[in-house]
Amino acid sequence: MTPPATRVFFAGGGTGGHLYPGLAIARALVRQAPHVEPHFIGARRGIERDVLPTTEFGYTLLDLHPLYRQAPWRNWRTIVGAVGAWRAISTLAAPSTPRAVIGTGGYAAGVALAWGRAHGVPTMLHEPDSHPGLTTRTFAKGAKTLFLGFPEAESRLTAGGNTQVMPLGCPIEPPPATPRSRAEARRLWGLPEQAFVVLVVGGSQGARALNEVVAAWTQQGLPEGVAVIWATGKQQAAAYLDREADMVRVRPYLAPIADAYAAADLAVTRAGAMTIAELCAWGIPALLVPLPSAAQDHQTHNAQAIQASGAARYVPQRDFTVASLDATVRSLQDDRSALATMHQAALTRARPGAAAEIAKSVIMTLGLDAVGIG
């Protein structure tokens, strides 16, 4: 007999780092417990506005706002939006109370978590970063479970006496069971098999600071034997597409990115939690240049944590120059032992099965019927 449908609310968004983990967990949850019906609650002004309509899940977008720390007089919008959102969530839950509210961070999660807490619905949190955000810090104490992307985050949280803390990693699309060989991936990119391949990725929107340095670096002349796969970001692509050359491949965006990962010796990226999780899963040494304006400087904390593990080198944006990039690439190109050590350290941090493990924990904690757990 098929179990009755079980509703689970997912709340989070504003940025991809708070939305995509929720989607990965929801999909793993449905694979293991097909009767579960995830429903996403997000903000009308966040990335979820564009992403959720393309998914298989039900969703509700609300007039949610962050706390305006630099312009506190605008917080009336936050208060009014929260009141309206509370009513909307109550209406949404009226036909069937959810079994849990799973928050994945960001301002879009707070009201739903508060609603769940007030109505006796178990709340669970996933925190992707090493420095927990405001939402996680606020709701950690009463949560049923805290899922952490970085184990370092636990020391910055006050969990409740009955809260499970599980550093299971960030839910990502894991590498394929049999990825392309490095040689095959490089043939696909039209690059020499023996090249030292540097992958530069600044996210879907790109990172202007990274792009400007890489553009100047390629113009000055790459070190002998070095090749670059460079994702500029869609909005910045027009300014850099003409930099394509024998040893330089320029793309607006890499989707899927697997063949670029398979070809890379070194990645130069921002330090978002999801990016780091993917690099570790692929065992790719990295040069991490955190976004200085990231909330609570969380990317710097991420980069420092991964550097401490030996998997990456952290470079503040102010120090990321053509000279420093060129020197780092040359040193690693000539020191394959150091590169191998970083590779192994990255794999040690990797949790490619995080989504499945988190879903399994949710199912067991809530006592749901499941199939295919493993």
Side-chain angles (χ1 to χ4, degrees):
M1 181 181 295
T2 302
T6 301
R7 303 177 81 197
V8 174
F9 286 174
F10 282 81
T15 65
H18 293 306
L19 176 63
Y20 289 116
L23 289 169
I25 295 168
R27 289 179 176 128
L29 193 56
V30 170
R31 282 194 294 271
Q32 296 181 22
H35 61 287
V36 170
E37 290 186 357
H39 189 97
F40 280 78
I41 296 170
R44 293 173 189 163
R45 59 199 302 277
I47 190 174
E48 54 268 37
R49 174 188 60 188
D50 300 317
V51 174
L52 289 177
T54 71
T55 72
E56 67 272 35
F57 300 118
Y59 64 92
T60 300
L61 298 180
L62 304 171
D63 184 28
L64 295 165
H65 294 259
L67 287 175
Y68 294 100
R69 295 181 179 87
Q70 304 302 318
W73 57 90
R74 298 175 62 190
N75 281 325
W76 67 269
R77 300 178 182 178
T78 306
I79 296 169
V80 172
V83 171
W86 188 283
R87 292 171 178 163
I89 294 169
S90 295
T91 300
L92 179 66
S96 176
T97 302
R99 287 288 297 274
V101 178
I102 300 177
T104 55
Y107 65 86
V111 175
L113 288 166
W115 181 94
R117 193 71 53 81
H119 289 81
V121 176
T123 58
M124 302 176 179
L125 303 173
H126 180 268
E127 173 54 56
D129 296 301
S130 63
H131 191 287
L134 177 61
T135 300
T136 303
R137 297 198 311 273
T138 300
F139 291 96
K141 195 168 185 179
K144 193 82 170 173
T145 313
L146 284 173
F147 300 111
L148 304 180
F150 282 73
E152 292 85 354
E154 184 172 1
S155 65
R156 298 186 173 100
L157 289 168
T158 302
N162 297 319
T163 301
Q164 281 187 301
V165 181
M166 307 184 73
L168 297 179
C170 287
I172 59 166
E173 182 67 32
T178 54
R180 295 188 195 277
S181 68
R182 181 163 294 183
E184 184 181 4
R186 291 175 177 189
R187 284 195 297 272
L188 285 172
W189 282 101
L191 296 173
E193 184 176 333
Q194 299 306 316
F196 184 85
V197 178
V198 179
L199 171 64
V200 181
V201 182
S204 61
Q205 303 305 314
R208 189 171 303 280
L210 270 61
N211 284 340
E212 290 176 350
V213 169
V214 172
W217 183 47
T218 58
Q219 187 171 7
Q220 135 184 318
L222 298 174
E224 183 69 26
V226 170
V228 176
I229 299 173
W230 177 12
T232 63
K234 296 177 182 177
Q235 294 183 352
Q236 300 181 44
Y240 300 107
L241 289 175
D242 63 353
R243 303 302 177 98
E244 182 96 9
D246 287 346
M247 296 288 275
V248 181
R249 301 289 175 267
V250 186
R251 301 290 184 272
Y253 189 58
L254 296 171
I257 198 172
D259 289 338
Y261 282 153
D265 290 296
L266 176 71
V268 179
T269 74
R270 290 301 197 190
M274 302 302 287
T275 296
I276 289 173
E278 290 183 359
L279 294 174
C280 287
W282 285 82
I284 300 174
L287 187 62
L288 300 175
V289 187
L291 176 67
S293 59
Q296 301 170 79
D297 204 21
H298 69 266
Q299 287 201 9
T300 293
H301 291 282
N302 291 350
Q304 290 171 335
I306 297 302
Q307 176 173 261
S309 76
R313 296 185 182 180
Y314 154 54
V315 181
Q317 184 169 292
R318 63 179 178 276
D319 297 333
F320 183 66
T321 64
V322 174
S324 69
L325 174 60
D326 190 75
T328 300
V329 170
R330 288 178 187 273
S331 69
L332 289 173
Q333 183 185 17
D334 294 336
D335 190 349
R336 295 291 174 147
S337 176
L339 209 65
T341 298
M342 294 173 74
H343 165 77
Q344 190 56 50
L347 290 178
T348 300
R349 292 277 311 207
R351 302 300 298 262
E357 288 299 312
I358 292 170
K360 180 178 179 180
S361 176
V362 171
I363 289 167
M364 294 179 68
T365 299
L366 297 179
L368 304 178
D369 294 321
V371 296
I373 286 184

